[in-house]
């Protein structure tokens, strides 16, 4: 009863005349009888081709079929149908809203992000100034990487509703990425504190803690809070793209990793001089081979990298510059095939400090092969454990744990970083995990 009442706002005057049939067809969808529902909506549309609700009902049935069979064809069909609902004769505004909202949602699910932005934009024109819609429009701008447009939209929400937690955390998140920490912190903190839907997300706890730390304020509370809520595996392990049931510890021995790790370490350690020679040759080559680290992880200093494999893809041009190293690496399938990692040289100059930070995923372990290691003054902290590198030796750690680097020596340090699939992953996981 309540449910059917709820549909008043999406039922046009004409649709009221066939209300019983429409409600009955909707019920078939609710009950999972999609075939009969589709037939019923088609029969209704045959007689009343302009009926907004019959078309919307049809879209919902198609949507369910797409979900049930994981079918992209049906997904596209329902997207198209949702898109036609607003142009039906006398379509109630509320129905236009629901159809476009779901259409945008399905488009982003399908990965058609630019079209999702368009659908949200269309919706925002239809009903301007609605915080929920503006918030979703902001999210779709973020997903296509248009941070400026997203910022404008979340700002608009805060004009209308200054205490909107969803807009606060998202605006804070964007400002944090622009290193505007002082503005980001209160937005992230207050946004999270509203507890509104969409605010309790690892990314916001992650970046709030980081912004606090970088501005000299206590951050642990937020890491602990995030871990307690299950947003992080633990206070120290704050990666956000995780698979369950993988062993987790800051440092690893080759034996911990098993046969593949033992073999890989042997291969790297027995060839380290060749690998070093190719690193040095490229270090001396023209500018632009080694590129500055770009993720804003560095506090002070000079840190450059030269990438050979990225997301499981060989970087052909770079491998031509380090052919022997790439051929050595090509025997290590858990590295070349690691779509959640890289293989790269890393050079750090004296005076470099890398902020405590956490990698994106628990699915890889990071090997560092020491190539040029000054006698004193370089350190790597992972969780509570501080170690240093040795020339010709491999050090293995899990970079989903918080780690930090100091380079206070009097000359540069060079290593080769080799990311390996976590040894507890199955072959199927390695094949199907989305690249990062
Ligand atoms: C890291 O992997 O974050 C750093 O340890 C890399 C490096 O060059 O030390
Ligand atoms: Mn790191």
């Amino acid at each position: 009863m309540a449910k059917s009442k709820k549909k008043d706002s999406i039922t046009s005057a004409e649709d009221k005349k066939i209300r019983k049939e429409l409600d009955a067809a909707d019920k078939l969808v609710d009950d999972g009888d999609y075939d009969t529902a589709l037939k019923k909506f088609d029969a209704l549309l045959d007689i009343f081709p302009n009926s907004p609700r019959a078309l919307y009902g049809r879209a919902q049935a198609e949507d369910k079929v797409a979900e049930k069979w994981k079918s992209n064809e049906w997904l596209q069909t329902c997207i198209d149908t949702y898109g036609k609902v607003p142009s039906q004769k006398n379509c109630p505004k509320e129905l236009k809203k629901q159809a476009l909202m779901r259409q945008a949602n399905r488009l982003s699910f399908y990965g058609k992000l630019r079209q999702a932005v368009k659908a949200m934009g269309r919706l925002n024109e239809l009903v301007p100034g609605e915080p929920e819609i503006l918030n979703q429009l902001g999210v779709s701008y973020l997903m296509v990487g248009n941070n400026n447009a997203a910022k404008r939209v979340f700002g608009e929400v805060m004009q209308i509703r200054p205490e909107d937690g969803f807009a606060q955390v998202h605006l804070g998140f964007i400002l944090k990425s622009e290193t505007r920490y002082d503005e980001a912190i209160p937005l992230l903190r207050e946004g999270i504190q509203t507890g509104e839907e969409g605010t309790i997300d690892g990314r916001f706890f992650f970046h709030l803690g980081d912004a606090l730390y970088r501005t000299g304020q206590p951050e642990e509370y937020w890491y602990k809070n995030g871990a307690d809520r299950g947003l992080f595996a633990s206070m120290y392990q704050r990666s956000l793209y995780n698979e369950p049931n993988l062993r987790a510890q800051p440092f690893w021995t080759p034996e911990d990793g098993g046969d593949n790790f033992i073999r890989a370490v042997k291969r790297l350690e027995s060839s380290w001089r060749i690998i070093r020679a190719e690193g040095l040759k490229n270090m001396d080559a023209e500018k632009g081979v080694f590129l500055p680290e770009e993720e804003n992880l560095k506090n002070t200093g000079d840190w450059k990298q030269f990438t050979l494999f990225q997301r499981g893809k060989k970087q052909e041009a770079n491998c031509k510059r380090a052919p022997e190293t790439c051929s050595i690496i090509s025997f290590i399938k858990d590295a070349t095939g690691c779509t959640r990692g890289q293989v790269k040289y890393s050079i750090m100059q004296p005076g470099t400090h890398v902020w405590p930070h956490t990698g994106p995923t628990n699915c890889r372990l990071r090997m560092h092969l020491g190539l040029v290691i000054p006698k004193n003054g370089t350190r790597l902290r992972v969780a509570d454990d501080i170690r240093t590198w040795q020339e010709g030796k491999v050090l293995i750690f899990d970079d989903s744990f918080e780690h930090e680097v100091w380079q206070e020596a009097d000359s540069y340090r060079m290593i080769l970083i080799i990311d390996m699939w976590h040894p507890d992953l199955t072959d199927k996981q390695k094949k199907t995990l989305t690249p990062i």
Side-chain angles (χ1 to χ4, degrees):
M1 205 48 193
K3 199 164 184 187
S4 118
K5 189 112 196 199
K6 223 163 121 195
K7 291 186 179 160
D8 283 355
S9 61
I10 61 167
T11 309
S12 69
E14 291 84 349
D15 273 350
K16 282 210 178 95
K17 294 174 197 154
I18 51 166
R19 173 81 188 244
K20 268 212 182 77
E21 287 87 339
L22 288 166
D23 286 350
D26 280 353
K27 181 148 190 318
L28 288 169
V29 178
D30 292 341
D31 294 345
D33 188 356
Y34 309 133
D35 276 351
T36 318
L38 284 169
K39 285 197 191 103
K40 193 126 198 210
F41 284 122
D42 280 348
L44 283 167
L45 284 164
D46 270 346
I47 315 171
F48 310 99
N50 295 318
S51 161
R53 260 195 64 186
L55 195 63
Y56 181 63
R58 160 134 203 138
Q60 285 185 308
E62 294 165 350
D63 195 341
K64 291 285 187 192
V65 173
E67 226 165 33
K68 181 169 170 193
W69 299 107
K70 296 191 171 44
S71 152
N72 283 341
E73 276 97 317
W74 280 99
L75 185 54
Q76 186 59 54
T77 304
C78 85
I79 286 169
D80 293 339
T81 310
Y82 281 127
K84 287 179 197 145
V85 172
S87 355
Q88 290 291 84
K89 203 168 157 209
N90 298 327
C91 182
K93 203 170 193 176
E94 181 57 31
L95 187 59
K96 290 186 185 176
K97 232 171 101 173
Q98 288 185 19
L100 286 172
M101 198 75 142
R102 185 64 186 170
Q103 191 202 27
N105 173 296
R106 291 297 81 192
L107 280 165
S108 35
F109 173 78
Y110 203 175
K112 303 197 167 183
L113 301 177
R114 258 177 288 272
Q115 289 183 51
V117 171
K118 273 204 189 124
M120 286 312 303
R122 207 177 149 199
L123 184 52
N124 185 44
E125 270 165 35
L126 181 76
V127 268
E130 283 213 11
E132 274 77 26
I133 291 169
L134 287 165
N135 277 338
Q136 285 313 312
L137 178 61
V139 168
S140 52
Y141 275 132
L142 266 183
M143 293 206 296
V144 294
N146 191 345
N147 285 20
N148 281 330
K151 215 160 54 175
R152 178 169 45 70
V153 169
F154 291 124
E156 205 179 311
V157 175
M158 295 197 47
Q159 293 285 319
I160 303 166
R161 213 159 70 181
E163 73 293 355
D164 187 293
F166 191 93
Q168 284 175 327
V169 286
H170 285 84
L171 192 54
F173 178 79
I174 300 170
L175 294 173
K176 158 69 169 55
S177 75
E178 297 174 355
T179 73
R180 291 164 67 177
Y181 303 132
D182 292 336
E183 295 159 272
I185 288 168
L187 287 167
L188 287 167
R189 184 195 287 130
E190 283 156 35
I192 289 172
Q193 279 166 345
T194 66
E196 278 170 26
E197 202 179 322
T199 60
I200 307 304
D201 181 311
R203 288 172 305 162
F204 305 132
F205 286 70
F206 182 112
H207 287 290
L208 174 55
D210 194 40
L212 286 166
Y213 186 85
R214 291 187 187 203
T215 51
Q217 303 170 69
E219 83 294 4
E220 295 92 346
Y221 169 81
W222 293 101
Y223 293 155
K224 179 161 187 329
N225 193 335
D228 289 347
R229 292 171 185 266
L231 303 172
F232 305 133
S234 71
M235 258 184 93
Y236 269 145
Q237 197 185 18
R238 299 193 299 276
S239 50
L240 295 174
Y241 296 87
N242 297 330
E243 288 295 296
N245 307 321
L246 304 182
R247 276 175 292 159
Q249 65 196 45
F251 281 99
W252 286 63
T253 64
E255 290 72 26
D256 291 337
D259 286 349
N260 285 351
F261 276 65
I262 294 170
R263 261 199 305 275
V265 168
K266 275 206 185 116
R267 205 176 274 285
L268 293 165
E269 291 186 346
S270 62
S271 317
W272 77 278
R273 286 176 194 278
I274 304 171
I275 297 173
R276 174 170 72 176
E278 285 192 327
L280 290 174
K281 192 183 71 192
N282 283 291
M283 186 180 172
D284 293 339
E286 70 263 40
K287 278 209 168 73
V289 177
F290 273 86
L291 302 173
E293 180 273 334
E294 269 181 343
E295 290 171 86
N296 185 30
L297 300 177
K298 187 167 58 68
N299 175 15
T300 57
D302 180 338
W303 175 18
K304 290 197 175 71
Q305 301 177 334
F306 171 48
T307 303
L308 304 177
F309 290 83
Q310 167 103 306
R311 294 176 155 199
K313 285 211 177 76
K314 188 171 172 180
Q315 307 299 289
E316 295 291 348
N318 286 353
C319 274
K320 285 210 178 88
R321 294 180 162 277
E324 294 195 69
T325 302
C326 282
S327 110
I328 293 161
I329 301 297
S330 71
F331 289 97
I332 309 175
K333 300 297 177 208
D334 278 325
T336 58
C338 181
T339 58
R340 292 194 163 188
Q342 302 108 44
V343 177
K344 59 194 179 185
Y345 286 94
S346 169
I347 296 179
M348 238 180 238
Q349 298 293 339
T352 304
H353 172 231
V354 179
W355 291 115
H357 66 284
T358 300
T361 176
N362 72 344
C363 294
R364 71 188 189 205
L365 296 178
R366 185 155 268 200
M367 291 188 174
H368 280 180
L369 173 64
L371 297 174
V372 180
I373 309 299
K375 269 213 174 60
N376 295 302
T378 59
R379 301 189 302 287
L380 165 67
R381 173 179 71 82
V382 185
D384 289 321
D385 203 345
I386 299 182
R387 300 195 186 176
T388 188
W389 301 267
Q390 269 180 281
E391 289 185 1
K393 292 279 169 237
V394 168
L395 185 149
I396 311 170
F397 70 104
D398 181 339
D399 82 325
S400 66
F401 284 83
E402 178 184 292
H403 54 287
E404 180 173 10
V405 186
W406 297 266
Q407 206 317 14
E408 296 163 356
D410 45 23
S411 62
Y412 68 90
R413 181 227 65 179
M414 178 162 73
I415 59 175
L416 184 72
I417 298 176
I418 307 100
D419 288 333
M420 298 272 286
W421 279 126
H422 192 293
D424 296 345
L425 289 170
T426 63
D427 287 341
K428 171 137 193 256
Q429 284 172 307
K430 293 177 192 177
K431 259 194 221 111
T432 55
L433 283 169
T434 51
I436 294 177

